Amino acid sequence: QVTLVESGGGLVQTGGSLRLSCAASGRTFNGYAMAWFRQTPGKEREFVASIKWSGGSRTYAESVKGRFTISKDTFKNMLYLQMDNLKPEDTAVYYCAAGAGLITSRVRLESAYDFWGQGTQVTVSS
C-alpha cells in the first residue's frame, strides 16, 4: 500500500522560504512521476511541479518557475519542494502525488496521479 505523508508547511511572511517534504512508502517508485499540487478553498487543485523518479526530469508551473525547486532523494524515498520568495498567492494546501508511467505531457494533469498525500497548509502573510 502506497503512503505519501507531507510535512513542512506553516506560516511565513512575503519573501520568505519554506521547504516541504513528502515521505513515500509502500513500493519502489522507479518509472513513477512525483509531483506537488496545491489547492485553495473553492478552486480546483493546481499543478505546481513534478519530477521523474528515474532520471529526474522536472516540470514547473509558470507561476512558480524560478522561485520553487522540486527535488528527490531516491535512497530515502523522499520528495521535496523548496519554496523561495513566497507570495500571498502561494497560500494553499500543498499535496504530494505519485503517478505510474507518466509521460511528460501528462504530468500537469491531476487525474493522471494514482496516489495522494493528506496535504500540508502553507500560509504566506502580506
Side-chain angles (χ1 to χ4, degrees):
Q1 177 179 343
V2 173
T3 302
L4 304 174
V5 180
E6 302 96 335
S7 61
L11 174 64
V12 64
Q13 291 185 333
T14 296
S17 297
L18 280 175
R19 188 194 195 204
L20 304 184
S21 300
C22 174
S25 62
R27 63 161 298 131
T28 57
F29 291 94
N30 292 335
Y32 272 64
M34 308 292 284
W36 291 96
F37 283 75
R38 65 188 182 186
Q39 189 172 26
T40 54
K43 293 188 177 181
E44 294 187 355
R45 209 167 289 187
E46 173 191 24
F47 171 79
V48 175
S50 69
I51 188 168
K52 297 290 184 68
W53 199 253
S54 306
S57 173
R58 295 171 172 84
T59 303
Y60 292 96
E62 285 299 319
S63 60
V64 306
K65 199 173 290 185
R67 300 188 298 121
F68 290 11
T69 304
I70 189 170
S71 63
K72 60 183 173 67
D73 185 329
T74 54
F75 293 103
K76 296 181 180 179
N77 266 13
M78 294 292 294
L79 179 71
Y80 303 102
L81 185 69
Q82 177 66 41
M83 305 186 294
D84 298 318
N85 191 21
L86 282 160
K87 304 175 181 180
E89 52 263 43
D90 295 318
T91 295
V93 177
Y94 283 71
Y95 296 90
C96 171
L102 295 186
I103 58 176
T104 301
S105 62
R106 291 182 55 80
V107 297
R108 299 173 185 266
L109 301 176
E110 178 185 357
S111 60
Y113 290 85
D114 307 299
F115 305 102
W116 293 85
Q118 83 289 349
T120 186
Q121 176 71 47
V122 171
T123 302
V124 184
S125 63
S126 57

